[in-house]
Amino acid sequence: MSTPDLNLLVTLNVLLAEGSVARAARRLRLSPSAMSRALARLRETTGDPLLVRAGRGLVPTPRALELRERVGRVVEEAQAVLRPLEALDLQSLVRTFTLRSSEGFAENFGPDLIARLSREAPGVRLRFMQKPDKDSSPLRDGTVDLETGVVGDTTSPEVRAQALFRDRFIGVVRRGHPLSEGEITPPRYAAGRHIIVSRRGLDKGPIDEALNALGLDRQVATIVGGFSTALALARTSDLIASVPERHTESLRAGMHSFPLPVPTPEITISLLWHPRMDADPAHLWLRECVRDVCAAM
């Protein structure tokens, strides 16, 4: 079965509203002959004469009367679909956004972000989700609206990314720890017992490479999956945690932080989303909120 010409819906809607080929032609800016041909096509498509001669005018058939209200709604809905989006009304917006982030982002940036959303759009709710890996499929399938993290080799090339801030790793120990006083040299740092943070359970990283270049090794006491766990362990022991500075600012309250005594690469934390959300006004506003909050801290 061939697909009907949907442009005929507009013609049918005007013809049934006007009840006259001549008036419909003027309204659609067509010649009377072109409108007559369109009516002939409509009759062929619907299998009904639609408008029949009665004296000097035309009257609708029962089928035309049945279609008149329906076709009007269809045309109105189609025009609404193709109409440009109206300006976003944040005060009346009701929506839940899901933001997937590494550990520490919600604790450090969440309060200010939630406060801004509440001020500007009281009906918006933010759902934070832990980020166990760098799989981009949740962005693609729509279960996640936004994500923060480091763009890597496993990040899907279709994903949009915009840098939020740069971060560096620092050392963190409890108050009163021996490393909370005096100069922290590479040998002194390496001599301590360390916590490694690795989602994949790895026992080596860039810090170890920098120490190895100086002929040093650090003793790894434990490996954990997140920064908050590492800091919780360091807070109540003599263990040393090495964590990103900006990501963990609120988690490190009451602890002693210090620059690492070996050079390690900075990391760029980016905001990630799927390109199908590029033009969504509410999503665009949320991205702006996240960028502003991160830039202010």
Side-chain angles (χ1 to χ4, degrees):
M1 181 178 178
S2 61
T3 302
D5 182 0
L6 297 182
N7 290 316
L8 290 174
L9 287 171
V10 176
T11 304
L12 178 60
N13 184 46
V14 174
L15 270 169
L16 296 181
E18 297 292 343
S20 163
V21 172
R23 288 196 300 271
R26 287 195 297 270
R27 183 167 161 185
L28 292 175
R29 298 182 180 179
L30 296 174
S31 66
S33 60
M35 182 56 70
S36 294
R37 289 194 297 271
L39 177 56
R41 290 180 62 198
L42 282 165
R43 286 168 170 166
E44 181 182 357
T45 300
T46 62
D48 188 270
L50 299 174
L51 295 172
V52 296
R53 179 71 56 186
R56 291 187 169 185
L58 297 173
V59 294
T61 65
R63 172 70 169 154
L65 291 174
E66 176 193 343
L67 289 175
R68 185 158 55 190
E69 186 175 343
R70 287 176 57 193
V71 75
R73 288 198 304 268
V74 170
V75 170
E76 185 177 338
E77 289 178 5
Q79 290 172 339
V81 167
L82 298 176
R83 192 177 298 128
L85 286 172
E86 297 179 358
L88 180 64
D89 182 2
L90 291 175
Q91 288 298 310
S92 63
L93 179 64
V94 177
R95 191 161 166 181
T96 297
F97 292 99
T98 299
L99 193 158
R100 193 170 80 144
S101 61
S102 298
E103 200 173 30
F105 186 90
E107 292 89 336
N108 202 50
F109 298 99
D112 285 351
L113 180 57
I114 292 170
R116 172 160 176 175
L117 300 190
S118 298
R119 286 195 308 270
E120 297 186 11
V124 166
R125 183 170 58 179
L126 192 60
R127 178 192 295 117
F128 285 100
M129 180 184 291
Q130 286 293 326
K131 184 178 180 180
D133 51 48
K134 292 188 177 182
D135 180 18
S136 300
S137 59
L139 289 172
R140 187 182 305 112
D141 62 28
T143 55
V144 168
D145 295 290
L146 279 177
E147 185 172 299
T148 64
V150 178
V151 177
D153 296 336
T154 59
T155 304
S156 173
E158 69 188 288
V159 169
R160 297 278 195 267
Q162 185 174 52
L164 289 175
F165 57 87
R166 294 183 66 80
D167 211 343
R168 63 167 186 163
F169 276 81
I170 58 172
V172 185
V173 293
R174 63 170 177 81
R175 291 289 184 189
H177 188 283
L179 289 184
S180 62
E181 296 181 355
E183 181 185 1
I184 300 175
T185 62
R188 190 175 174 213
Y189 170 76
R193 301 177 71 238
H194 292 260
I195 305 166
I196 284 187
V197 179
S198 172
R199 287 193 298 246
R200 293 181 292 168
L202 303 178
D203 61 357
K204 299 288 183 183
I207 295 175
D208 299 284
E209 294 174 5
L211 288 170
N212 293 162
L214 299 175
L216 299 170
D217 288 297
R218 59 176 175 166
Q219 181 184 353
V220 176
T222 186
I223 302 169
V224 298
F227 302 129
S228 64
T229 304
L231 291 169
L233 290 173
R235 188 182 295 275
T236 56
S237 70
D238 282 337
L239 297 177
I240 305 166
S242 298
V243 298
E245 184 175 24
R246 293 193 63 184
H247 239 81
T248 62
E249 184 175 352
S250 62
L251 298 175
R252 293 183 284 109
M255 301 182 74
H256 177 75
S257 304
F258 57 88
L260 295 179
V262 290
T264 55
E266 284 191 332
I267 57 175
T268 299
I269 306 300
S270 295
L271 187 62
L272 310 172
W273 68 94
H274 195 271
R276 64 187 177 81
M277 304 304 292
D278 271 348
D280 182 88
H283 197 277
L284 186 64
W285 163 75
L286 178 61
R287 298 197 302 266
E288 180 182 349
C289 290
V290 174
R291 288 194 298 267
D292 289 348
V293 166
C294 289
M297 295 184 66

